[in-house]
């Protein structure tokens, strides 16, 4: 019995020692509180897999400043109170960089992150006016806002019509809730500015019945359609478009359209379809190939291989390349351990950073937390996405007017 | 033994209509109250503001729903919409400069008016038809919130709540928020405990059991149904406003969506219709268990060194949680409150009931 006690004591002491060692080598941790079980599952598995893979790759190469990095993935089921729970728990464990990839949860965490001084990355979700760094110190929606993205779509249409939009008709098909309604204001402003006609086509949630919408589109005959919908709704839309004989070329989707949607629409049927994006799609990007060679070929990937062939995997790589690049810079300038303050400062040094050709180059400054909001339009040619424009960020004065107008109301 | 009944006699009506007829129940309630009062000093702040605070506010809300569903027997599927009315009116009032005390009451009254207005139309139908009508209210409210930036706060549909201040005191600390939630939940609990022993409570129960039988007894069932809707909506409104003021800090339509309505109803049903302690337990199960199971599963798989896909890891807690609800309702269809009641009844006479066997 006494022997057993001794053994137990030694074991527990060893346990204590390793725990102590872990505290010393405090790794750079990212809190990934995602909705892996409810509304955002069309994208979160790919994005979190990308985050985990990227962390593994970095650790394989020696970590950041010699310390390993850690990605902590938790499910919040798109419920604000569980998101807050995840945030509070991880932030007490020393995490100061968070991402939620969910608009309701991002909104719920934002006031806390602002008060606690934690960096909230919220690429592609949450309130768009958070790009205004003068108001939202701790929020970094690096990547395009929906406003900027819609403005770039208009710029692309203008380019197609040689700069004259006076007799162009643009239809805006959108989910009739805040996600889809967001770009309306900017589109209306641009319609006045450029003189094109704007027709609005709200689609009731969940978007499985769009028959009425598309027969109206057929009657109105818009020249282009800017579409703000997600996942399966694209497939429903494509069926309705075929029924109404509306050519796929008119369709310009928001960035939330991936290979799964293309497969469901049908490779052939989807030819001509366009989407706005801030990352390079397809499996050929350098970073993904490096991950393939280092991890998946050795059987060390963080999930199934087919998920890495999805454009949202690239989106995830882009988001977390930014996260880790900033950490690397923070470690370089201010040394270890990285703190929230040094991390924030490092984020704001990112200039024309494109993660080795993976995404639109971003430049984050203290005023512009969005990184410039560049996107491009790509077209599906049956096999791959063909870029139709360069990385563009047009009408930024108009976009920033809307941003400022909205952000000035925060904290009133 | 635990619930000593010796010397407990009720010789008159006043004594028989006490809230706690057995001293042990009262002592337990006092103990829980003291624990609640001391919680900020006993619990780490994580538990205080991520678990205790939402638990108490949701319990107050669930008790409100229990009033209309458990006591008056009217199925309500639009409860979150009523909470939204309270939250948005209170915040708009507070942003307008109305002191929070009045803003909360305005929120409650606005909910009350909307809730009972709807009940006026809805109560012409009964049972499942009523349930569907209340569901319609939920959808109407969802639509109003997502389509009126003036109410929901601009294109992002998020409305920031001003700093909560009560009795001239700004409340900004975790402890402060907790005490506000605690105070509100306590108030609602005391109201509900007393409801049982008033004429109003008995009338509601009569309406629940059979409304026309109640009418024959001279209970105006329509009046009491409206009253139940109004009272429950008031509680919903204030709870919704406090939820935003002390926990979310900004109101967004998703916080009061149809999923939330179903969730509150689940809290009441799993907890037990017409049971106060059941509401506490039901809220704990529906609100807190998913997060806790999530933590346990994630921690467990990590310490065991298992390589589980993040997606699978997210779905295991959901399965466990679903199974837990089914198991509890299989063991005791009347909910967690009845389960507690069974244990209490068993202990009431233990160990003397063993003598007969």
């Amino acid at each position: 019995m006494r022997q057993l006690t001794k053994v137990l004591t030694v074991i527990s002491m060893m346990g204590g020692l390793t725990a102590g060692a872990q505290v010393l080598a405090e790794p750079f941790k990212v809190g990934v509180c995602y909705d892996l079980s409810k509304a955002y599952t069309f994208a979160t598995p790919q994005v979190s897999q990308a985050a985990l893979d990227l962390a593994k790759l970095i650790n394989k190469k020696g970590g950041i400043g010699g310390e390993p990095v850690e990605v902590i993935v938790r499910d919040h089921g798109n419920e604000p109170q569980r998101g807050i729970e995840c945030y509070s728990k991880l932030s007490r464990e020393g995490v100061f960089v968070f991402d939620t990839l969910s608009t309701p949860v991002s909104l719920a965490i934002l006031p806390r992150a602002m008060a606690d001084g934690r960096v909230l990355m919220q690429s592609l979700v949450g309130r768009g006016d958070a790009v205004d760094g003068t108001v939202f110190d701790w929020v970094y929606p690096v990547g395009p806002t929906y406003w900027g993205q819609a403005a770039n779509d208009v710029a692309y249409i203008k380019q197609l019509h040689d700069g004259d939009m006076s007799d162009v008709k643009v239809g805006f098909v959108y989910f009739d809730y805040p996600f889809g309604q967001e770009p309306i204001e900017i589109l209306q402003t641009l319609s006045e500015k450029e003189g094109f006609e704007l027709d609005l086509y709200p689609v009731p949630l969940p978007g499985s019945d769009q028959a009425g919408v598309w027969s109206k589109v057929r009657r109105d005959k818009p020249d282009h359609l800017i579409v703000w919908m997600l996942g399966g709704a694209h497939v429903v839309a494509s069926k309705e478009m075929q029924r109404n004989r509306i050519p796929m070329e008119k369709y310009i989707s928001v960035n939330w359209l991936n290979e799964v949607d293309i497969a469901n629409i049908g490779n052939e049927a989807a030819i001509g379809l366009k989407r706005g994006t801030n990352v390079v799609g397809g499996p050929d990007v350098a970073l993904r190939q490096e991950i393939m060679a280092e991890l998946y070929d050795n059987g060390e990937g963080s999930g199934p291989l087919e998920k890495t062939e999805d454009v949202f995997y690239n989106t995830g790589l882009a988001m977390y390349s930014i996260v880790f690049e900033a950490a690397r810079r923070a470690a370089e300038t201010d040394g270890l351990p990285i703190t929230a303050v040094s991390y924030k400062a490092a984020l704001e040094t990112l200039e024309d950073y494109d993660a080795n050709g993976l995404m639109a180059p971003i430049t984050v400054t203290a005023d512009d937390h969005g990184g410039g909001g560049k996107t491009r339009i790509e077209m599906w040619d049956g096999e791959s996405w063909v870029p139709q424009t360069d990385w563009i960020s047009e009408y930024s004065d108009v976009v920033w007017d809307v941003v400022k107008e909205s952000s000035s109301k925060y904290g009133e | 033994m635990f619930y000593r009944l010796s010397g407990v006699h009720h010789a008159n009506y006043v004594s028989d209509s006490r809230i706690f007829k057995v001293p042990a129940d009262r002592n337990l309630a006092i103990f829980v109250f003291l624990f609640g009062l001391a919680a900020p000093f006993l619990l780490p702040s994580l538990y205080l503001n991520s678990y205790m605070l939402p638990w108490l506010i949701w319990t107050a809300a669930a008790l409100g729903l229990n009033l209309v569903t458990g006591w008056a027997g009217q199925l309500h599927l639009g409860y979150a919409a009523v909470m939204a009315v309270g939250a948005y009116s209170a915040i708009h009032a507070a942003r307008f400069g109305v002191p929070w005390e009045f803003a909360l009451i305005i929120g409650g009254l606005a909910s009350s008016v909307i809730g009972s207005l709807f009940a006026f139309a809805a109560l012409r139908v009964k049972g499942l038809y009523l349930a569907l009508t209340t569901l319609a209210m939920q959808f109407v409210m969802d639509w109003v919130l997502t389509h009126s930036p003036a109410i929901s706060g601009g294109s992002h549909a998020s409305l920031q709540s001003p700093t909560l201040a009560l009795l001239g005191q700004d409340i900004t600390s975790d402890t402060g928020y907790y005490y506000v939630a605690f105070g509100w939940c306590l108030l609602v609990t005391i109201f509900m405990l007393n409801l049982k022993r008033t004429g109003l409570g008995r009338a509601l129960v009569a309406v629940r059991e059979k409304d026309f039988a109640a009418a024959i007894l001279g209970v105006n069932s329509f009046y009491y149904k409206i009253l139940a809707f109004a009272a429950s909506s008031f509680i919903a409104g204030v709870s919704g406003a406090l939820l935003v003021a002390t926990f979310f800090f900004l109101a967004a339509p998703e916080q009061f969506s149809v999923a939330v309505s179903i969730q509150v109803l689940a809290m009441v049903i799993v907890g037990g219709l017409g049971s106060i302690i059941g509401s506490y337990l039901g809220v704990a199960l529906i609100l807190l268990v998913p997060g806790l199971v999530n933590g346990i599963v994630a921690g467990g798989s990590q310490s065991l060194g298992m390589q589980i896909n993040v997606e699978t890891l997210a779905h295991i807690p959901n399965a466990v949680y679903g199974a837990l609800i089914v198991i509890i309702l299989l063991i005791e269809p009347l909910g967690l409150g009845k389960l507690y009641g069974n244990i209490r009844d068993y202990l009431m006479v233990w160990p003397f009931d063993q003598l007969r066997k």
Side-chain angles (χ1 to χ4, degrees):
Chain A
M1 186 64 213
R2 182 169 286 176
Q3 204 125 33
L4 185 70
T5 332
K6 255 186 197 164
V7 171
L8 281 178
T9 323
V10 169
I11 287 175
S12 62
M13 273 170 69
M14 276 164 66
L17 277 180
T18 47
Q22 272 167 357
V23 171
L24 281 177
E26 186 67 37
F28 172 69
K29 289 187 265 192
V30 188
V32 178
C33 301
Y34 275 8
D35 167 16
L36 292 157
S37 54
K38 302 268 164 63
Y40 285 81
T41 46
F42 65 92
T44 45
Q46 296 92 307
V47 174
S48 52
Q49 187 170 333
L52 290 166
D53 283 342
L54 199 56
K56 271 189 193 165
L57 183 70
I58 287 169
N59 288 342
K60 237 183 168 174
K61 288 177 170 174
I64 288 174
E67 296 297 340
V69 296
E70 195 183 334
V71 168
I72 306 172
V73 184
R74 291 282 182 277
D75 175 41
H76 59 55
N78 205 25
E79 289 173 26
Q81 78 269 7
R82 282 182 60 192
I84 289 176
E85 179 196 326
C86 178
Y87 165 82
S88 319
K89 203 165 168 182
L90 293 181
S91 99
R92 278 171 181 79
E93 288 169 13
V95 179
F96 52 80
V97 182
F98 288 91
D99 185 39
T100 66
L101 206 67
S102 145
T103 294
V105 174
S106 196
L107 285 176
I109 289 181
L110 187 135
R112 286 167 197 259
M114 292 276 285
D116 301 348
R118 303 277 188 273
V119 175
L120 178 61
M121 306 296 295
Q122 51 158 35
S123 303
L124 306 168
V125 296
R127 51 191 301 159
D129 59 353
V131 292
D132 185 355
T134 53
V135 177
F136 297 92
D137 307 359
W138 292 96
V139 189
Y140 288 83
V142 185
T145 60
Y146 290 140
W147 296 326
Q149 223 185 107
N152 293 347
D153 291 351
V154 171
Y156 164 67
I157 294 171
K158 187 179 175 186
Q159 190 184 316
L160 288 182
H161 292 271
D162 298 323
D164 178 23
M165 293 186 80
S166 51
D167 50 359
V168 177
K169 212 170 181 184
V170 176
F172 182 56
V173 184
Y174 61 102
F175 268 166
D176 200 10
Y177 80 116
F179 156 74
Q181 293 162 347
E182 227 180 293
I184 293 177
E185 192 182 348
I186 203 107
L187 288 173
Q188 279 168 343
T189 317
L190 289 177
S191 138
E192 272 168 35
K193 193 179 156 107
E194 296 289 352
F196 64 88
E197 193 185 329
L198 177 71
D199 290 322
L200 299 179
Y201 303 100
V203 174
L205 284 179
S208 46
D209 179 12
Q210 304 179 13
V213 173
W214 291 100
S215 52
K216 193 154 173 279
V217 172
R218 185 185 59 191
R219 279 197 298 278
D220 294 351
K221 296 195 186 63
D223 301 301
H224 301 278
L225 291 159
I226 300 179
V227 182
W228 241 249
M229 294 196 291
L230 309 164
H234 289 303
V235 183
V236 178
S238 76
K239 298 264 154 40
E240 292 294 339
M241 284 172 78
Q242 280 163 16
R243 205 199 308 277
N244 289 297
R245 303 189 183 262
I246 300 168
M248 218 49 198
E249 282 76 25
K250 290 186 175 181
Y251 199 92
I252 307 174
S253 163
V254 65
N255 63 296
W256 298 119
L257 186 146
N258 68 348
E259 279 65 13
V260 176
D261 300 326
I262 292 288
N264 288 341
I265 293 170
N267 264 347
E268 294 299 312
I271 291 178
L273 183 151
K274 301 180 186 75
R275 74 171 174 210
T277 181
N278 67 324
V279 295
V280 176
D284 299 329
V285 294
L287 185 57
R288 180 182 173 274
Q289 296 204 321
E290 195 181 349
I291 287 175
M292 286 300 120
E294 291 284 333
L295 300 175
Y296 284 82
D297 292 350
N298 303 332
E300 292 174 30
S302 311
L305 183 66
E306 60 268 20
K307 289 229 166 89
T308 66
E309 286 151 9
D310 195 303
V311 64
F312 296 154
Y313 184 81
N314 293 12
T315 305
L317 287 182
M319 284 159 62
Y320 288 92
S321 296
I322 298 167
V323 168
F324 291 124
E325 172 66 13
R328 196 184 61 74
R329 288 179 186 215
E332 232 170 52
T333 14
D334 298 316
L336 292 172
I338 304 167
T339 64
V341 176
S342 72
Y343 184 81
K344 181 172 150 49
L347 260 176
E348 287 169 6
T349 65
L350 291 173
E351 204 182 329
D352 277 330
Y353 176 69
D354 69 351
N356 199 7
L358 170 65
M359 58 178 178
I362 53 145
T363 304
V364 183
T365 64
D367 291 337
D368 178 8
H369 284 187
K374 287 199 173 106
T375 61
R376 73 177 183 197
I377 313 295
E378 301 177 331
M379 190 183 77
W380 180 254
D381 71 351
E383 280 167 14
S384 63
W385 291 97
V386 183
Q388 303 291 302
T389 61
D390 283 335
W391 297 116
I392 52 170
S393 167
E394 299 290 329
Y395 301 114
S396 44
D397 47 337
V398 182
V399 174
W400 273 93
D401 282 346
V402 179
V403 167
K404 287 285 180 194
E405 188 214 325
S406 174
S407 68
S408 64
K409 287 181 194 147
Y410 182 84
E412 260 178 16
Chain B
M1 194 172 96
F2 300 104
Y3 293 88
R4 202 164 52 82
L5 293 173
S6 133
V8 180
H9 302 293
H10 298 295
N12 52 40
Y13 283 124
V14 176
S15 132
D16 192 45
S17 58
R18 276 193 193 142
I19 295 181
F20 302 111
K21 291 179 187 142
V22 180
D25 280 341
R26 189 194 55 213
N27 296 342
L28 185 67
I30 290 174
F31 172 76
V32 172
F33 168 74
L34 288 178
F35 177 78
L37 214 54
F41 308 101
L42 301 174
L43 296 175
S45 62
L46 170 67
Y47 291 91
L48 197 68
N49 76 17
S50 302
Y51 299 112
M52 291 291 278
L53 177 98
W55 182 38
L56 289 175
I57 299 180
W58 280 108
T59 302
L63 283 169
L65 182 60
N66 216 339
L67 173 65
V68 81
T69 302
W71 263 273
Q74 309 301 314
L75 204 50
H76 197 332
L77 285 174
Y79 197 69
V82 187
M83 290 174 74
V85 173
Y88 279 98
S89 0
I91 292 167
H92 275 296
R95 283 168 73 98
F96 190 68
V98 178
W100 267 103
E101 296 84 352
F102 296 107
L104 290 175
I105 293 173
I106 289 172
L109 290 179
S111 285
S112 228
V113 169
I114 302 269
S116 41
L117 258 185
F118 220 91
F120 243 110
L123 282 175
R124 298 178 63 86
V125 291
K126 282 178 199 166
L128 288 176
Y129 302 97
L130 174 69
L132 273 182
T133 326
T134 50
L135 191 62
M137 166 163 74
Q138 176 72 50
F139 287 127
V140 169
M141 203 54 68
D142 282 0
W143 192 89
V144 168
L145 285 182
T146 49
H147 286 83
S148 44
I151 296 178
S152 63
S155 58
H156 299 103
S158 69
L159 183 72
Q160 220 191 347
S161 148
T163 311
L164 182 66
L166 291 174
L167 307 173
Q169 201 75 38
D170 272 3
I171 295 167
T172 47
S173 67
D174 285 351
T175 316
Y177 291 134
Y178 170 78
Y179 278 127
V180 171
F182 180 70
W184 172 242
C185 188
L186 186 71
L187 216 62
V188 176
T189 308
I190 291 174
F191 171 73
M192 295 299 285
L193 280 171
N194 280 295
L195 186 69
K196 266 191 200 172
R197 51 187 203 141
T198 57
L200 170 63
R202 285 190 292 274
L204 290 179
V205 171
V207 169
R208 174 186 71 196
E209 296 305 329
K210 206 74 194 166
D211 48 1
F212 47 82
I216 291 167
L217 289 173
V219 174
N220 182 344
S221 64
F222 190 75
Y223 167 78
Y224 280 104
K225 280 181 191 171
I226 294 280
L227 198 63
F229 267 97
S232 119
S233 301
F234 184 86
I235 296 173
V238 178
S239 305
L242 284 178
L243 190 66
V244 173
T246 65
F247 186 63
F248 287 135
F249 306 124
L250 51 76
E254 291 92 348
Q255 292 160 359
F256 303 105
S257 66
V258 61
V260 178
S261 274
I262 307 283
Q263 230 178 4
V264 194
L265 192 65
M267 288 168 182
V268 171
I269 290 175
V270 173
L273 290 168
S275 162
I276 292 167
I277 187 140
S279 294
Y280 277 83
L281 299 175
V283 172
L285 184 80
I286 301 285
L287 190 72
L288 306 181
V289 166
L292 289 176
V293 175
N294 208 352
I296 293 170
V297 171
S301 71
Q302 211 165 31
S303 61
L304 291 175
M306 284 192 288
Q307 281 284 340
I308 301 182
N309 186 304
V310 285
E311 247 183 306
T312 320
L313 210 57
H315 286 114
I316 292 171
N318 283 344
V320 172
Y321 162 68
L324 216 58
I325 293 178
V326 174
I327 290 168
I328 286 168
L329 289 180
L330 274 180
I331 295 174
E332 185 50 74
L334 295 178
L336 288 164
K338 181 72 174 128
L339 213 56
Y340 167 80
N342 290 347
I343 296 168
R344 177 178 170 277
D345 288 348
Y346 177 76
L347 292 176
M348 187 78 89
V349 281
W350 187 87
F352 305 109
D353 61 333
Q354 305 294 327
L355 296 175
R356 274 186 304 170
K357 287 175 187 167

